[in-house]
Amino acid sequence: MSPLLTAALLAVALGLFGWTMFRRLAPLRALRREDRLSRTGERVRTLLRFGLGQSRLVDPEERGPGILHVLVFVAFVVLALRTITLFGMGFSEAFHLPLLAEEAPLGRAYLFVKDLVVLGALVGVAGFLWRRLVTKPDRVTRSAEGLVILLLIAGLMVTDVLFDGARLLGRGSAGSLAEPAGSLGRALLAPLAPGSAEAVGLAAFWLHLVIILAFLNVLPYGKHFHIITSLPNVFFARLPPTGALAKLDLEAEDARFGTATVKDLSWKEAWDVYSCTECGRCQTHCPTYVTGKPLSHKEVNRTIRRHLGEVAPTLVALASAKDAAAREPLQAKLPPITDVIPPETFWACTTCGWCETACPVLIENIPRLVDMRRQAVLVDSSFPDEAARVFKNIETQGNPWGIGSNKRTDWCADLDIPRASAGEPFEWLFFVGCAGAFDDRQKKVSRAIVSILREAKVSFAILGEEETCNGEAARRLGNEYLFQLQAQANVDTLNGLGVKKILVQCPHCLNTIKNELPQLGGNYEVVHHAELIASLVAEGRLAPGAAAGLEDVTFHDPCYLARWNGIVDAPRAALGAVKGLRVLEMERSGRQGFCCGAGGGRFWLEEKLGTRVNQERVNEAAARLGEKGGVIATGCPFCLTMMKDGVNETGREDRVRVLDVAEIVAAGLAGARAGGAAGGSVPAGTPAADEAEG
Ligand code: SF4
Ligand code: SF4
């Protein structure tokens, strides 16, 4: 061993590494600040679960590659101690970490585990090489860098095996199961002359150290930077409620209105793109990607990462600029974000959240894209005409349809529903939502919900004409200003009435009222109607019978219900309460559901590129229902429309119907009233009967 050589290697390699890291991270100082240190306990739990626990890597769909990754990851974690030991041995052969001397019980145990993970990592590398060179799955980016990294990892493991093998031989040990990798190395070296085996062991030792240091210096230059950045990225990930978009302080002196150039990204958003492994999991079920739109979360990350590198000198100069006069010319040098990420990319996203749920390192995509929309809407006035119409309709009539606000209660003109007023007791404020009040199809769902509430004797009231759009679509279409106006109006009304508990029928209302209104002073208990129905059934306050004509049902999970708010079981429990229904699960269901194409305000925009998302989903649902057909159930007005359109567009109207959970339960209640649990005919005028008539 050679202390001089070890010290020289360390000094050169760590110096280079420090310099590279400084160059990679220095531009981040110019980016927007963002607090990602609060709620430390939750962050540590997130790190344990998703970072060290690698929980997203071993999900059922991706189990094979996930396990390969876990094998390599665990080896890196376990080998950290080994690496320190080997560098220590470079200074003094007898070096060992406290308690980890080879003859100590803990040292022997560590060597055993270390050997297992070394062999595991070799299996992992072999598996990855097989995937890259033989099976070549679409989602994986193929690059020489990937191969180099795999070969470096393999080199680390092989040199470790040979070094230990030579030591066993030198000691005259026959090897044992307690040192499986070392024993393997011993067996490989045994045919050599003793001097040669020793030389191989020594070469393996130095090569091992060189590979570690080379590895460290290669990582920051490519996508494998994630090996360094991904655990911190998981720690700094945004915490629940993840369905909420951040509020822009539009009144602030230095107000920001979105992302004009890369400089408006936050440091965390840059860290995100550094952490992208390019595994492609985010695009597997991205509704826009799979239907041929120009949006891939992976590509967006790669493009921004490359751009950050290109403008790094300007960003570094900006970070040191003393005043506005020095900053302005530098800022002018940065290209607009639309030169980097084309508008058709950031307008394509449905904010369904699949990409973020799938990403093993918790990279955030949606806020970045929405900030680009905000810039387009609030500053550049460059956005789709359909969005302009929606904004105008909300501004003038308080609903995106633009129907007169005085018609908001037409849907229930004959139902005598109490209006919420201060001092009048009611348990639930039924926030009907714009779709529930103005969309002819969804009005039937509103009425079904009322019939259910009445059957269960639930105390409720509505806001009536005091209700206005909560601005959800406006926010996701980038009009933060309009969102805040609308949301604040609702908060003022609800708080003025002392509302505590809110029932909604739209997952978008749910997400906004529950997760975003707190940003404006509105804090309420919010439930979706499927949740309330399920709890009323559980309490014995509802006992649906059979719903005539309904047999096989598959539930399409709205993204803002299941993925963003974790409500998966309640709609199934509600459907399960209806006698005779067979609930069939699609492969992509629950939190792993596939979007209908309507979220992120996309419901209001034309879908001009690629194939239609709703048809992709309807094809899947229809395949699950089989030849006989059945019902696609859902719990969202926008999903309902998208699914119904998809059924019509694909010519399946004769055998596939689309109903809301509430309509099915209401039909079951009608069945119970008409014919008992054995099932009766659905009385004319019930929602399910209406829908069946078209
Ligand atoms: S964003 Fe996440 S899921 Fe997508 S390629 Fe990067 S690491 Fe993989
Ligand atoms: S949120 Fe949905 S539509 Fe948008 S990029 Fe992610 S997976 Fe695709």
Side-chain angles (χ1 to χ4, degrees):
M1 303 307 165
S2 164
L4 203 62
L5 181 57
T6 310
L9 276 176
L10 276 173
V12 172
L14 293 182
L16 265 177
F17 176 70
W19 171 237
T20 311
M21 286 296 286
F22 175 77
R23 283 184 38 233
R24 292 302 311 265
L25 298 181
L28 269 59
R29 288 192 303 126
L31 305 186
R32 186 162 45 85
R33 293 184 184 181
E34 197 181 359
D35 172 25
R36 292 294 178 117
L37 283 172
S38 55
R39 297 159 67 186
T40 316
E42 276 178 74
R43 294 188 182 283
V44 170
R45 281 195 293 281
T46 306
L47 181 64
L48 290 176
R49 181 173 166 208
F50 297 106
L52 299 173
Q54 304 266 290
S55 58
R56 285 196 179 162
L57 281 160
V58 288
D59 71 54
E61 193 176 350
E62 299 281 353
R63 195 151 278 161
I67 289 172
L68 296 178
H69 190 279
V70 169
L71 288 174
V72 175
F73 174 78
V74 169
F76 271 91
V77 173
V78 173
L79 285 173
L81 295 180
R82 170 75 163 179
T83 303
I84 297 170
T85 307
L86 291 180
F87 277 105
M89 288 172 73
F91 289 99
S92 160
E93 198 170 346
F95 176 86
H96 62 79
L97 287 168
L99 304 177
L100 291 184
E102 282 186 25
E103 58 282 2
L106 216 51
R108 282 203 299 276
Y110 175 73
L111 273 184
F112 175 64
V113 174
K114 186 272 297 177
D115 272 19
L116 287 184
V117 301
V118 163
L119 295 176
L122 282 169
V123 172
V125 169
F128 278 132
L129 285 172
W130 180 262
R131 275 167 63 75
R132 279 184 175 273
L133 302 173
V134 183
T135 57
K136 301 180 183 172
D138 279 348
R139 71 171 172 81
V140 176
T141 306
R142 278 178 284 284
S143 64
E145 181 199 335
L147 280 178
V148 169
I149 294 290
L150 284 175
L151 293 177
L152 285 176
I153 297 172
L156 277 177
M157 303 305 147
V158 170
T159 49
D160 187 278
V161 168
L162 293 176
F163 173 64
D164 273 356
R167 278 163 64 84
L168 286 177
L169 272 175
R171 259 190 246 138
S173 164
S176 72
L177 282 180
E179 291 179 74
S183 302
L184 174 66
R186 186 201 169 284
L188 290 172
L189 297 177
L192 301 182
S196 307
E198 194 184 334
V200 171
L202 196 61
F205 173 83
W206 289 111
L207 191 55
H208 190 90
L209 298 194
V210 168
I211 293 177
I212 289 174
L213 296 174
F215 193 69
L216 198 62
N217 277 285
V218 166
L219 291 182
Y221 285 100
K223 66 172 185 154
H224 289 87
F225 197 21
H226 81 264
I227 294 177
I228 295 168
T229 59
S230 58
L231 287 181
N233 201 59
V234 172
F235 179 82
F236 293 130
R238 83 178 184 280
L239 297 172
T242 45
L245 290 170
K247 182 185 169 207
L248 289 185
D249 185 353
L250 301 169
E251 307 292 325
E253 212 173 291
D254 58 346
R256 153 186 104 80
F257 299 99
T259 298
T261 68
V262 74
K263 188 204 152 293
D264 296 313
L265 295 178
S266 75
W267 69 268
K268 173 60 173 59
E269 288 172 324
W271 198 280
D272 269 345
V273 301
Y274 283 163
S275 304
C276 180
T277 70
E278 298 188 18
C279 68
R281 286 164 192 258
C282 49
Q283 61 195 37
T284 317
H285 300 299
C286 165
T288 63
Y289 180 80
V290 301
T291 58
K293 278 74 167 176
L295 167 60
S296 147
H297 187 6
K298 177 172 91 167
E299 291 304 328
V300 169
N301 289 338
R302 191 160 43 181
T303 307
I304 294 178
R305 186 167 63 213
R306 198 169 43 228
H307 182 62
L308 275 171
E310 286 160 2
V311 298
T314 309
L315 291 175
V316 172
L318 259 173
S320 329
K322 297 254 176 311
D323 50 29
R327 274 194 296 275
E328 264 168 34
L330 291 167
Q331 275 168 351
K333 281 170 75 177
L334 294 170
I337 199 71
T338 43
D339 284 5
V340 184
I341 304 294
E344 57 269 29
T345 293
F346 58 75
W347 284 111
C349 180
T350 68
T351 70
C352 75
W354 162 263
C355 52
E356 295 196 6
T357 312
C359 180
V361 292
L362 277 56
I363 292 174
E364 298 150 33
N365 188 31
I366 295 161
R368 240 187 300 153
L369 297 179
V370 171
D371 268 352
M372 294 175 200
R373 291 183 180 183
R374 285 169 165 172
Q375 172 71 22
V377 171
L378 299 176
V379 182
D380 300 339
S381 281
S382 168
F383 48 93
D385 292 344
E386 309 94 279
R389 266 195 300 280
V390 169
F391 298 152
K392 184 155 180 282
N393 289 340
I394 295 175
E395 276 163 20
T396 55
Q397 301 299 343
N399 70 83
W401 277 266
I403 299 171
S405 57
N406 59 343
K407 299 194 182 311
R408 189 170 272 275
T409 53
D410 283 7
W411 68 275
C412 61
D414 58 334
L415 292 181
D416 193 23
I417 300 175
R419 304 298 190 264
S421 59
E424 288 293 319
F426 59 87
E427 184 181 5
W428 290 100
L429 185 285
F430 178 24
F431 191 94
V432 179
C434 299
F438 293 107
D439 177 72
D440 285 342
R441 176 68 187 85
Q442 192 66 19
K443 287 180 192 172
K444 294 173 183 172
V445 180
S446 305
R447 294 173 71 88
I449 292 171
V450 168
S451 74
I452 292 168
L453 296 176
R454 289 191 161 155
E455 174 100 9
K457 304 200 171 18
V458 172
S459 146
F460 72 100
I462 59 173
L463 290 176
E465 289 178 16
E466 280 193 75
E467 187 181 306
T468 186
C469 177
N470 57 49
E472 191 267 352
R475 183 173 237 197
R476 278 156 185 79
L477 287 170
N479 197 336
E480 177 69 7
Y481 177 75
L482 181 55
F483 161 74
Q484 289 188 18
L485 279 180
Q486 293 298 127
Q488 193 64 62
N490 277 299
V491 167
D492 293 346
T493 304
L494 294 165
N495 287 355
L497 292 167
V499 170
K500 299 273 181 288
K501 293 165 71 171
I502 298 179
L503 169 68
V504 296
Q505 61 176 309
C506 170
H508 299 268
C509 292
L510 176 100
N511 188 62
T512 290
I513 297 174
K514 183 176 176 180
N515 299 327
E516 296 186 331
L517 293 199
Q519 298 168 354
L520 295 152
N523 293 284
Y524 320 101
E525 176 189 344
V526 190
V527 303
H528 183 260
H529 64 275
E531 292 181 286
L532 187 59
I533 291 170
S535 66
L536 292 171
V537 168
E539 289 165 20
R541 292 167 68 184
L542 290 175
L550 306 185
E551 204 175 296
D552 285 353
V553 177
T554 188
F555 185 71
H556 162 76
D557 291 273
C559 301
Y560 276 80
L561 194 66
R563 191 142 44 230
W564 287 122
N565 287 286
I567 300 166
V568 173
D569 296 337
R572 289 163 174 83
L575 291 173
V578 178
K579 296 221 164 18
L581 273 194
R582 198 161 66 118
V583 183
L584 304 168
E585 288 293 348
M586 284 181 265
E587 209 169 296
R588 296 186 287 192
S589 64
R591 283 176 182 258
Q592 273 73 42
F594 185 76
C595 178
C596 70
R602 288 282 337 167
F603 181 80
W604 305 101
L605 308 185
E606 282 183 39
E607 194 176 341
K608 294 174 188 154
L609 303 170
T611 54
R612 288 186 59 81
V613 176
N614 61 339
Q615 292 179 19
E616 165 94 13
R617 185 55 161 167
V618 163
N619 289 342
E620 182 180 4
R624 186 67 187 97
L625 290 168
E627 276 305 301
K628 197 160 66 100
V631 173
I632 301 172
T634 191
C636 169
F638 302 104
C639 294
L640 193 75
T641 303
M642 296 301 270
M643 292 293 98
K644 182 70 182 153
D645 287 352
V647 166
N648 294 347
E649 290 158 12
T650 57
R652 293 190 172 98
E653 308 92 307
D654 56 333
R655 57 186 192 284
V656 178
R657 297 161 66 189
V658 185
L659 294 170
D660 187 279
V661 169
E663 295 177 299
I664 296 171
V665 172
L669 293 170
R673 281 196 298 275
S681 60
V682 182
T686 62
D690 290 350
E691 204 281 338
E693 286 156 18

